[in-house]
């Protein structure tokens, strides 16, 4: 999985937009689990048909945002 700037570049290559949001991570659908010890603290999740769908954990907010954009 591409990290930080590489994830933004990959989104551009794929014609995707990383949606910005007014939250700790700066991206829609990306949440930060800031408990100590997590190597992949950025959680990607979206709502589909009224249900919360967990997409995975990622090292960077950009990686998680790319996953959300791909979904």
């Amino acid at each position: 999985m591409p990290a930080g700037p590489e994830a933004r570049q990959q989104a551009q290559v794929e014609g995707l937009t990383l949606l910005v949001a007014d939250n700790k991570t700066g991206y829609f659908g990306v949440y930060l689990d800031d408990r100590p010890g997590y190597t992949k603290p950025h959680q990607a999740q979206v709502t589909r048909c009224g249900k919360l769908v967990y997409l995975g954990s990622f090292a960077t907010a950009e990686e998680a945002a790319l996953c959300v954009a791909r979904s």
Side-chain angles (χ1 to χ4, degrees):
M1 185 54 104
E6 293 87 4
R8 287 191 300 271
Q9 183 179 10
Q10 185 61 36
Q12 186 176 13
V13 168
E14 295 179 26
L16 301 172
T17 301
L18 303 183
L19 299 175
V20 297
D22 187 21
N23 62 21
K24 283 185 181 182
T25 66
Y27 294 102
F28 174 80
V30 179
Y31 303 93
L32 181 62
D33 187 345
D34 55 4
R35 290 180 287 180
Y38 284 142
T39 58
K40 296 182 178 181
H42 297 90
Q43 312 293 314
Q45 55 192 32
V46 293
T47 302
R48 297 284 184 249
C49 299
K51 295 191 179 204
L52 188 62
V53 179
Y54 175 75
L55 301 175
S57 298
F58 302 87
T60 69
E62 290 83 3
E63 288 175 317
L66 179 58
C67 182
V68 170
R70 286 175 172 162
S71 74

